[in-house]
Every structure is written in C-alpha cells, then in structure tokens.
Amino acid sequence: MRIVLLGPPGAGKGTQAAILTDYYKVLHLATGDLLREEVAKASELGLKAKGYMEKGELAPDELVIDMVINKLNSPEAEKGFILDGFPRNVAQAEAFGKRLAEKSINLDNVIYLETSEDIIVKRLTGRRICRACGAVYHVVNIPPKVKGVCDKCGGELYQRKDDTIETIKNRLKVYNQQTAALIDYYKKEDKLFMVSGDVDTRELFTKLQEYFKKQNII
Ligand code: AMP
C-alpha cells in the first residue's frame, strides 16, 4: 500500500491515516507531526520550520522533502506507507515522483478528501490532542470522558497553536493557493480517487476499505 491522503486541513487526513495504518500495518508518515516533533526538540530543522507553522504557512520545500525521503528510505517504509500532509505543492509532488521513479516504486493512489469549509472550521477549532499519546478528540464530536484528560492514557489534552480561527483561515488560503493544484496534477496521472471528507470517521474508513479491496491495494 502506497497512498497519499490529500485534502484541506481538517479534512480528516490524520484521523484516517491513523486508522488505516493500524489496520493495514503500514507506515503513517505525517509531515506536520514530524515537524512538530522537531519544533519540540528545538532542533535546527524545528527552529527553521517553527515560524512558518505558527503562521499557517508552508515550511520550505527542501526541509520537508529531505525529511520525507529519509523516512521513505527507512526499513519502516518497506511494507508500504500512507502520506498525510505531503506533498503540499507541485514542487514537492515532482520531487517525490522523481524519487519514487528512481527507486522503481509506484504510487497506488492519491485519495482526495473533499471537505466543506464550515465543517473544517468546526472540526479544527474544537480539536484537542493528547500531549502524551497523540490521540485526537473534539470538544463536541468526540469529547473525552473527563475534560482535558485523555481517555486512553490520562495525558493532558491541548489545542494546537495553529488551530485558532485566524491561522485556520490562513491555512485554508495556503491550501487553495498551493495544495489544491495537486488535485489536477494527480488527476492527470490517473491516480486520484475523490471521496467526501464531510462524513464521519467510521463511514469514511469503510468506504476506503471497500475501495482498496476493489483496487487490490493491500
Ligand atoms: P498539518 O499537521 O499537516 O496540518 O501541518 C501543520 C503545519 O506544518 C503546516 O501548516 C505547515 O506549516 C507545516 N507542514 C506540514 N506538512 C508540510 C509540507 N508538506 N510542506 C510544508 N509545510 C508543511
């Protein structure tokens, strides 16, 4: 299984990628998560990316592309991968495609989660994440049993700094200006499968499972 999940912030890419990678036992490669880890470590890469992330802008391509290629070269990626949040523009898609071709690897599909803006804003402003295990909650849709506490591990729940309304607006602008072009890019490569991201997590997972089965993607 070699899949890219494409869609605006809040489309459910991270949630689906987590469920799918657990089910299919492939690598979940989320560039946003990797970058946040680097920021938390205050590494050179993290320090370079931090300002962009806080504003909802894209981090420079060279930082992200090298990071992804290194992960794809690791043994963890051998069984397959689901990319979540990468590529984010045409330059990244081209660099990624070139790298896959060099390794004679074929991308199975790009799943585009088409999602409406009012749903995105509601999902992102209500999103809370566990600091310890990364589990994702929503203050209305998936509330934890105890406010602010993770059901799974007891960790503290926090709100991402870029999940505020102003930064969400900018992330959507950046998505429309830079990332949405990848819909046509992958349509031309005949790789795109479009599905609604407005439905709930379980329904979307079932749809994707059925699709992968039909396509013989395992
Ligand atoms: P995400 O967790 O996917 O919403 O990403 C959070 C932030 O990380 C984005 O707003 C960007 O600043 C940065 N980021 C994540 N993936 C990429 C990427 N492929 N290229 C550039 N910046 C990225």
Side-chain angles (χ1 to χ4, degrees), residues 14-173:
T15 307
Q16 282 306 315
I19 305 175
L20 290 167
T21 51
D22 188 45
Y23 185 81
Y24 291 100
K25 307 291 176 222
V26 293
L27 176 68
H28 178 185
L29 215 168
T31 42
D33 289 348
L34 293 177
L35 287 170
R36 277 184 290 279
E37 276 169 28
E38 296 297 325
V39 171
K41 282 193 280 184
S43 68
E44 201 184 324
L45 196 160
L47 293 176
K48 281 184 188 157
K50 191 171 186 248
Y52 296 96
M53 295 172 76
E54 283 174 356
K55 282 185 269 176
E57 302 286 335
L58 295 187
D61 288 342
E62 62 277 11
L63 295 186
V64 185
I65 293 169
D66 284 350
M67 196 175 72
V68 170
I69 301 300
N70 284 341
K71 277 275 177 191
L72 291 180
N73 280 333
S74 70
E76 299 163 275
E78 260 164 35
K79 280 193 188 151
F81 55 79
I82 295 183
L83 275 169
D84 152 17
F86 180 91
R88 219 55 168 231
N89 58 28
V90 171
Q92 292 182 10
E94 283 173 348
F96 176 52
K98 202 169 143 217
R99 193 57 198 209
L100 290 178
E102 279 165 13
K103 297 181 75 168
S104 306
I105 290 176
N106 200 23
L107 194 62
D108 294 314
N109 260 135
V110 175
I111 311 291
Y112 168 43
L113 307 182
E114 193 182 27
T115 314
S116 30
E117 203 162 310
D118 56 328
I119 290 194
I120 290 173
V121 172
K122 276 186 200 138
R123 278 187 190 159
L124 292 181
T125 48
R127 176 161 72 177
R128 299 292 182 272
I129 301 164
C130 174
R131 236 180 246 294
C133 73
V136 180
Y137 296 85
H138 187 278
V139 289
V140 179
N141 304 340
I142 327 163
K145 289 194 188 96
V146 179
K147 193 177 168 210
V149 181
C150 178
D151 293 348
K152 293 183 183 134
C153 76
E156 179 204 356
L157 302 187
Y158 78 101
Q159 181 173 28
R160 265 172 56 173
K161 265 194 189 159
D162 59 350
D163 276 348
T164 55
I165 190 72
E166 308 78 55
T167 316
I168 291 167
K169 293 271 175 214
N170 196 39
R171 286 159 69 199
L172 284 171
K173 195 169 115 200

